[in-house]
Amino acid sequence: MLSNFLSNTFKIQAIINKTLMKSKDIDNAMHLFSSITNKSNYMYTVMFKGLITNNMAEKVLDLFDEMKIEPDQFTLSTLFNACAVLNNNRAMKIGKELLAKIPENYRNDNITSTSAIDMLMKFGDVESAERIFRSMKTKNIITYGAMVKGYVGNEMFEKALDLFEQIHLSLTNAIYAIVFNACAKLCNDRAMKIGKKLLAKMPENYRNDNITSNSAIDMLMKFGDVESAERIFRSIKAKDIITYGAMVKGN
């Protein structure tokens, strides 16, 4: 019986995650989910992620209100993500209550803490995000990215560059794009120096990433360096509408 139950549960999880959520059949996913007697944190996380992907973050909070078990660090991270996406009064209340009650051992989990930072930055609560960031023993590049992006989102561009200059880890293409955006917004001597230096050091494989290249084009156009922007534009193999938009807007 136990073997059958586990087998059925895994099958249900697979159907919800790989079939119903991907085909946007939310009603049947919810119905199937409600048929599970002993719901695990993993099962809730699967549902929450599927709902967020389908732009139904409000339903995540509805489902969370019905939860009879304590969320683990993975479920908490997904809940923080839902609250960040919603960014309304209800989300702020639930997000901050969850954060206040978070077990101490989860605070050292990078995924959970990074999700909390992103959520707080979306709420405009920069001070609390900074407090969590400082308390983290081991910061990874995604954590730094959440902070830098948060500063940019809160129009604290100088702080974004201050923190960027403290990073001593390998940069991802997302970090390049975020810093290029910060430099474009500031558009002062410091921003021009950092932006151009960063662009010169950017690995070749990142140059084929449209988001990174589009951000670089936008930054260079803001700097008035049309020639360099055109050079990047010509080098992009598969140009999208945003690439063309960045060039047209810059010109």
Side-chain angles (χ1 to χ4, degrees), residues 23 31 60 67 75 79 86 106 113 117 133 153-154 164 166 171 178 188-189 202 209 217 219 234 236-237 247:
S23 62
H31 179 70
V60 171
M67 253 182 106
T75 311
L79 283 164
L86 280 172
Y106 289 177
S113 294
I117 286 169
F133 181 76
N154 284 281
F164 165 69
Q166 293 172 33
L171 304 178
I178 294 162
N188 58 16
D189 290 342
M202 189 165 77
D209 177 76
I217 288 169
M219 175 186 73
R234 286 194 299 270
I236 298 172
K237 291 171 186 173
M247 285 300 293

Side-chain angles (χ1 to χ4, degrees), residues 22 41 88 110 119 161 176 196:
K22 286 192 177 173
N41 264 292
N88 58 20
N110 266 36
M119 175 187 74
L161 297 188
Y176 278 94
K196 290 198 173 185

Side-chain angles (χ1 to χ4, degrees), residues 198-218:
L198 187 63
L199 186 58
K201 291 194 300 181
M202 189 165 77
E204 197 58 42
N205 57 314
Y206 288 176
R207 294 177 189 274
N208 294 324
D209 177 76
N210 273 32
I211 295 170
T212 313
S213 294
N214 293 347
S215 298
I217 288 169
D218 178 61

Side-chain angles (χ1 to χ4, degrees), residues 117 120-121 125-136 139 147 151 156 159 163:
I117 286 169
L120 290 165
M121 284 295 199
D125 189 353
V126 177
E127 198 176 318
S128 296
E130 288 174 331
R131 198 156 47 241
I132 292 174
F133 181 76
R134 284 192 301 269
S135 74
M136 292 173 73
K139 301 169 180 74
M147 282 299 292
Y151 282 136
M156 301 169 80
K159 275 204 165 196
L163 185 60

Side-chain angles (χ1 to χ4, degrees), residues 235-248:
S235 74
I236 298 172
K237 291 171 186 173
K239 301 170 181 70
D240 58 23
I241 193 65
I242 299 165
T243 314
Y244 282 100
M247 285 300 293
V248 172

